[in-house]
Amino acid sequence: MDRPRCKEETTKLTIVYDNEVIKQGLKSGWGFSALIETEHASPILFDTGGDGSVLLYNMQELGIDAKQIETIVISHGHGDHTGGLHSILEINGDAEIYAPSSLWRRLPGRKVTAVTKPVQICAGVFSTGELEGVEQSLVLKTNKGIIVLTGCSHPGVSEILRAASRFGKVSGIVGGFHGFHNFDRLRGLSLICPCHCTQYKSEILRLFPNSYEECGTGLELEF
Ligand SMILES: [Zn+2]
Ligand SMILES: [Zn+2]
C-alpha cells in the first residue's frame, strides 16, 4: 500500500488592494487589502481597502469568491482599510470579523471578536493583539518562517516586529510601513515587501535589494 505523501502546507498571500498595481487589468486605490489562503482553513481577508467597488472588482478579476471568505480581520479603523467592509458584508452573510477593540462596535447578526490580546485566528494564523490601542497585525506561521502582515503600522514597525517575535523568529514582513525609517530593524529578514502607505520605499529597496519585493495589487506570494 502506498504511504500518504508528506505534504507541507503552503500559505498563499494575495494583494487584493493597494495604491499600486502589479498585475495588468486590476485597479489601484488608496488603501490595503490582502487574502490569506492555507490548505486547512478557509480564506481570510485582511483589511478591505478604501472603496468597496474597487475591492470587489479586483476580487472578481483574481477569481476570489467573496462568499467563501469565512474570516475578515480589520487592522485598524482608518477608512482606507475599512471602506470596503460594507460591500463584502452585503455579499457575505456569515464571515466572522476580528477587529481591534478600539474599533469594535456591534454589527447585528454578526460574530465580531474585539481583539486586545494576541489571539489565534485559525491554524497558523495569529493576531499580534491590539498594539498601542490602535492596530493589530497578523502573524503567519509558514514553511518559510513567520511572515508578518501589517495594515498601516501606526504602532511602528519595530513595535510590531517585537510583538510578532513572541511567536518565533520573524523572517518576513508585508504591508504598509507608514513613515518607518529605523531601517536597521529590517536587517536579517528574507522578505521585505513594503506596500500602501510606506513613505521610504526607495530607501528600503536601496538598503535591502535582495530581500525587497515590490508590492501592488495582484501580487501573489507563496510560503
Ligand atoms: Zn491608517
Ligand atoms: Zn492605510
Side-chain angles (χ1 to χ4, degrees), residues 30-32 76 78 80-81 151-152 154 178 196-197:
W30 181 265
F32 189 65
H76 67 300
H78 290 165
D80 49 339
H81 299 255
C152 271
H154 294 298
H178 216 265
H196 172 48
C197 57

Side-chain angles (χ1 to χ4, degrees), residues 89-218:
L89 296 184
E90 269 180 355
I91 297 172
N92 181 322
D94 303 314
E96 178 173 0
I97 299 161
Y98 286 79
S101 64
S102 54
L103 173 70
W104 181 82
R105 66 193 124 95
R106 261 179 63 78
L107 282 169
R110 292 286 176 169
K111 190 163 184 217
V112 182
T113 301
V115 175
T116 41
K117 294 195 165 67
V119 63
Q120 179 162 23
I121 291 171
C122 68
V125 181
F126 303 81
S127 164
T128 56
E130 183 183 37
L131 303 177
E132 308 278 324
V134 289
E135 184 171 339
Q136 63 176 334
S137 301
L138 285 186
V139 175
L140 314 175
K141 285 193 175 176
T142 77
N143 292 326
K144 294 184 182 158
I146 285 181
I147 306 293
V148 181
L149 182 61
T150 68
C152 271
S153 293
H154 294 298
V157 170
S158 301
E159 172 64 15
I160 291 167
L161 288 174
R162 197 188 57 76
S165 66
R166 279 191 229 131
F167 296 88
K169 191 178 178 298
V170 176
S171 63
I173 182 165
V174 180
F177 292 8
H178 216 265
F180 169 75
H181 57 274
N182 184 12
F183 304 123
D184 251 7
R185 197 62 190 76
L186 301 175
R187 216 164 284 286
L189 298 181
S190 53
L191 171 71
I192 304 167
C193 183
C195 306
H196 172 48
C197 57
T198 307
Q199 231 175 304
Y200 297 106
K201 276 187 185 176
S202 51
E203 285 83 349
I204 295 168
L205 171 60
R206 191 173 53 77
L207 287 166
F208 306 102
N210 297 326
S211 39
Y212 189 93
E213 180 79 44
E214 197 176 329
C215 189
T217 311

